Amino acid sequence: MAEMVLETRDLTVRFGGHVAVNGVSTGFRRGELTAIVGPNGAGKTTFFNLISGQIAATRGRVLLGGADISRKSAADRTRLGIGRGFQMTNLFPDLSVYENVRLAVQAQQRKGGRILRLAEADDKMRDRTVAVLDRVQMGPEAAKPVSTLSHGDQRKLEVAMLIALDPAIYMFDEPTAGMSPDDAPVVLDLIAALAQDRRKCILLVEHKMDVIGALADRIIVLHNGTLVADGDPAAVMASDIVQEAYMGRRRADV
Amino acid sequence: MILKLLSGDRPGSVLLSLILLAILVALAGAPFLFDGTRALDTAARICVFIVLVASYDLLLGYTGIVSFAHTIFFGFGAYGVALSALHLGRGFDALIVGAGAGALAAAALAAVIGLFSLRVRAIFFAMITLAVASAVAVLVSQLSALTGGEDGLTYLIPKALTAAARYGEIPTVTLPWPGADPLTLGGQRITGKIVNYYVIFSGALILILFLLRVVNSPFGRVLQAIRENDFRAEAIGYRVVSYRIAVTVLSAVVASLAGALFAIWLRYVGPDTVLSFEIMIDILLMVVIGGMGTIYGAVIGAVVLLLAQNYLKDLMETAAAGLGDIPLAADLLNPDRWLLWLGVLFVLSVYFFPAGIVGRLRRSRT
Ligand SMILES: Nc1ncnc2c1ncn2[C@@H]1O[C@H](COP(=O)(O)OP(=O)(O)O)[C@@H](O)[C@H]1O
Ligand SMILES: [Mg+2]
């Protein structure tokens, strides 16, 4: 079995009296797409935040390639190869679609410190930006300000930003939430294509069981912040705990 | 070529381009286009304030950082030049050393303020800058042995830059205007004062072109990303705090250079001319009226407000005299009320142009 590229050890965070993620120890391999499921408020997004550094753990560690990154900033974790996508659309609203992607490309190419060159004159950045926009089929939208995009296009752009970062580890947090049946397959196809790359490790929070069934190599289940099941999709989906957890579900996270 | 000098930053509206061009021509030809020392003094102040306000725009408009310490950095440059001119003598080397020392001091103080306060909430940074600004102002008035206290410092600059130096005369050119009165250009003596003006003008021009380059560079784009969504900027791998500190230092250095130019022009520095809180308010007004996050807005804001401050009083005097018979109107236009009218102008401009004059002009383009 391939070694773990990303691991969590006893990862825990407490908000006041509420333990949102509770002692989660697990690991993720290259070439593996892991679906993370659980009801609303189970702690999936918080688990992501702990891994990508948006919040600090109360207890426990995050290891990347065996090295402890628990004390590193979100920016540094991204630079180390953790690409984090957000459940709530989280873009640069007054900038154009092109500029949003270009900023991610620029970050990936480590060019943010250049102060006397022109951002627009860099062919390498432009070519990569155009390629990424093509890949999410958003070329025609390039010049639009993000705030004028439909929800579906904003979600696609969210995925484009991640692709632009070219991370070793992709973290998708409900990438198709609220998307129309027309738009969702575009995003899911992209994720499926990424999953073909055996060097990439993909974490996917998703509710739709058919999607998970089609994409996931493995499922882990969070419930009240605790990891309650972990295994191959068919077995986990058939388990009592998942049946129970999903019986009560009424609506997708917002 | 021009676009390259502007770092590809198109003004984005024909009217705006024309206004900017008119300002450039007026400032470039100020010694010959306008009569009198007061006009030249106003032009020099405009050059200095354009740079000062644009450097503040880098902070507020581009990065979304609110600082009240900008005049302190302006003051550092001005006092740097004043002190070195006083102690190192009347040479150009003293001016350069003074400007350099002022810039270094500004950079160091900005870095310290940034390191200690930019990690935390934005409001905290604003409060720290307010405290530092008051502390420096108090310090400058207390350390009167060094700074001249409230009286400030008067010093000599190289003779080549003063009115005492004569460089000849511009030949008179009469433009035959068909039908109308002939327009006469030239005829003035070229003095060191005019050379001094061109030092200020070129310094300002270079600094503005530099700022345009900065805001269109990859670094400048990160600043805008931070303004739009600092959380996401961090999440795609930009160390937001480092960028905030870097831009605070950069804008402090440019402000200090504006201060150095001002000191070379005035041959006097004092708390009221370079450090006062009123100047800080003026900077804020100029950047808001002109339009934040555009650099060009700083240019227009500085021109509009300085012209208003310098000439509104005169204009009202003339108007009040003209309306001498109508009691209420004359009273309203009493020159002592100029500040009131300035306030009215400000409120109107913010109400009608919330994105500033530049924002308004750009919007009406399509
Ligand atoms: N910053 C926070 N402060 C306090 N409570 C939080 C915070 N973030 C998340 N929570 C709480 O932690 C729990 C888990 O939330 P979340 O991770 O968003 O769940 P999920 O993504 O699985 O729906 C919820 O009860 C939520 O209210
Ligand atoms: Mg969630």
Side-chain angles (χ1 to χ4, degrees):
Chain A
M1 190 130 278
E3 66 186 285
M4 301 291 182
V5 51
L6 177 70
E7 285 173 84
T8 66
R9 300 252 174 94
D10 190 28
L11 201 55
T12 303
V13 70
R14 187 190 298 272
F15 297 122
H18 178 66
V19 185
V21 171
N22 195 356
V24 176
S25 298
T26 184
F28 306 93
R29 296 174 194 85
R30 280 182 210 286
E32 186 180 71
L33 190 153
T34 307
I36 296 154
V37 303
N40 271 327
K44 305 179 295 294
T45 297
T46 306
F47 181 57
F48 267 23
N49 284 338
L50 289 169
I51 292 174
S52 53
Q54 271 71 34
I55 58 175
T58 312
R59 198 177 71 222
R61 292 188 294 160
V62 179
L63 306 180
L64 182 69
D68 190 346
I69 57 164
S70 312
R71 305 202 147 264
K72 293 207 180 286
S73 70
D76 286 351
R77 295 187 201 193
T78 303
R79 293 160 82 96
L80 289 170
I82 297 180
R84 167 70 198 275
F86 292 89
Q87 178 178 1
M88 311 263 220
T89 299
N90 203 328
L91 301 159
F92 304 109
D94 284 347
L95 305 181
S96 68
V97 169
Y98 180 90
E99 180 63 8
N100 270 260
V101 174
R102 203 199 58 77
L103 278 163
V105 169
Q106 177 176 292
Q108 193 269 331
Q109 296 185 1
R110 304 276 195 278
K111 288 174 177 166
R114 297 186 176 183
I115 200 164
L116 289 177
R117 295 185 219 193
L118 290 181
E120 297 305 335
D122 190 312
D123 294 342
K124 247 184 101 189
M125 283 202 277
R126 188 183 50 231
D127 293 348
R128 174 83 181 131
T129 306
V130 169
V132 171
L133 284 172
D134 281 349
R135 203 155 160 207
V136 295
Q137 300 169 22
M138 288 191 76
E141 272 73 45
K144 288 189 188 162
V146 164
S147 53
T148 65
L149 293 183
S150 68
H151 177 77
D153 277 344
Q154 293 198 4
R155 298 304 300 168
K156 275 201 273 180
L157 181 55
E158 182 72 48
V159 174
M161 302 275 281
L162 272 201
I163 292 174
L165 291 176
D166 190 29
I169 296 163
Y170 281 86
M171 302 174 73
F172 294 102
D173 196 352
E174 304 197 25
T176 64
M179 274 181 112
S180 72
D182 286 342
D183 284 333
V186 178
V187 167
L188 292 173
D189 288 350
L190 278 168
I191 295 174
L194 290 171
Q196 295 304 307
D197 187 340
R198 302 314 292 172
R199 290 164 305 164
K200 303 294 185 190
C201 164
I202 302 176
L203 278 58
L204 171 67
V205 173
E206 179 60 71
H207 285 302
K208 299 183 195 81
M209 282 301 168
D210 52 334
V211 169
I212 297 170
L215 289 175
D217 302 306
R218 169 189 168 208
I219 296 182
I220 64 176
V221 183
L222 284 181
H223 191 73
N224 289 333
T226 309
L227 195 150
V228 292
D230 180 349
D232 78 90
V236 173
M237 279 201 271
S239 69
D240 290 350
I241 196 131
V242 169
Q243 293 300 324
E244 185 187 321
Y246 276 79
M247 288 297 242
R249 254 180 62 78
R250 292 271 178 270
R251 61 177 179 88
D253 286 16
V254 212
Chain B
M1 167 63 190
I2 290 179
L3 202 59
K4 207 164 184 180
L5 271 177
L6 298 180
S7 298
D9 201 326
R10 292 165 196 280
S13 124
V14 177
L15 187 54
L16 179 58
S17 308
L18 291 177
I19 294 173
L20 290 169
L21 195 65
I23 291 173
L24 179 67
V25 168
L27 290 176
F32 309 108
L33 294 173
F34 310 108
D35 271 344
T37 49
R38 182 164 163 214
L40 194 60
D41 188 60
T42 305
R45 275 169 200 272
I46 287 177
C47 290
V48 167
F49 271 82
I50 284 175
V51 175
L52 180 61
V53 176
S55 67
Y56 191 68
D57 193 26
L58 190 62
L59 217 53
L60 181 69
Y62 280 90
T63 325
I65 295 176
V66 179
S67 161
F68 295 108
H70 213 56
T71 46
I72 298 309
F73 305 124
F74 186 55
F76 272 28
Y79 274 92
V81 165
L83 288 170
S84 78
L86 266 181
H87 299 292
L88 297 181
R90 199 176 178 181
F92 281 96
D93 50 347
L95 300 184
I96 292 170
V97 168
L104 273 180
L109 180 64
V112 170
I113 300 178
L115 276 170
F116 279 101
S117 52
L118 280 171
R119 297 185 170 280
V120 284
R121 311 227 337 248
I123 182 73
F124 186 68
F125 178 78
M127 276 156 48
I128 291 284
T129 59
L130 201 55
V132 170
S134 326
V136 170
V138 170
L139 218 58
V140 166
S141 69
Q142 296 290 306
L143 296 174
S144 52
L146 182 67
T147 62
E150 294 296 330
D151 296 335
L153 299 168
T154 310
Y155 45 90
L156 296 174
I157 59 170
K159 190 166 172 240
L161 296 180
T162 65
R166 297 282 155 90
Y167 299 98
E169 207 166 275
I170 303 259
T172 309
V173 190
T174 305
L175 302 175
W177 226 240
D181 286 337
L183 178 66
T184 311
L185 278 179
Q188 296 97 326
R189 275 219 177 78
I190 303 186
T191 65
K193 193 79 185 163
I194 292 181
V195 174
N196 191 338
Y197 175 78
Y198 280 109
V199 169
I200 310 301
F201 173 78
S202 348
L205 189 62
I206 291 169
L207 287 170
I208 286 296
L209 294 178
F210 168 72
L211 287 174
L212 276 174
R213 172 56 60 127
V214 169
V215 300
N216 288 292
S217 71
F219 175 82
R221 296 301 180 78
V222 179
L223 302 182
Q224 292 165 57
I226 290 172
R227 174 195 69 199
E228 293 280 307
N229 186 346
D230 56 349
F231 177 86
R232 190 58 190 266
E234 175 86 22
I236 58 177
Y238 295 115
R239 293 168 177 147
V240 168
V241 175
S242 309
Y243 280 91
R244 286 198 171 126
I245 293 172
V247 73
T248 306
V249 170
L250 187 66
S251 108
V253 167
V254 176
S256 81
L257 293 177
L261 292 176
F262 206 33
I264 293 172
W265 176 253
L266 290 178
R267 290 178 291 162
Y268 161 81
V269 300
D272 289 345
T273 38
V274 293
L275 286 176
S276 77
F277 201 69
E278 272 162 47
I279 299 178
M280 192 63 239
I281 306 270
D282 283 347
I283 298 173
L284 277 164
L285 291 185
M286 289 175 192
V287 77
V288 170
I289 290 177
M292 290 194 283
T294 60
I295 299 293
Y296 296 124
V299 175
I300 292 189
V303 170
V304 167
L305 206 76
L306 280 173
L307 285 183
Q309 283 178 344
N310 277 288
Y311 294 104
L312 195 61
K313 240 172 155 170
D314 293 1
L315 203 68
M316 288 171 60
E317 218 155 303
T318 323
L323 292 171
D325 304 337
I326 314 165
L328 184 64
D331 198 38
L332 269 177
L333 287 174
N334 185 315
D336 291 342
R337 308 247 188 286
W338 76 278
L339 207 58
L340 170 79
W341 284 101
L342 198 61
V344 170
L345 275 182
F346 176 67
V347 171
L348 287 179
S349 87
V350 171
Y351 186 79
F352 287 109
F353 314 136
I357 296 172
V358 168
R360 176 63 231 242
L361 289 174
R362 283 187 171 164
R363 196 162 53 88
S364 59
R365 169 182 36 157
T366 41

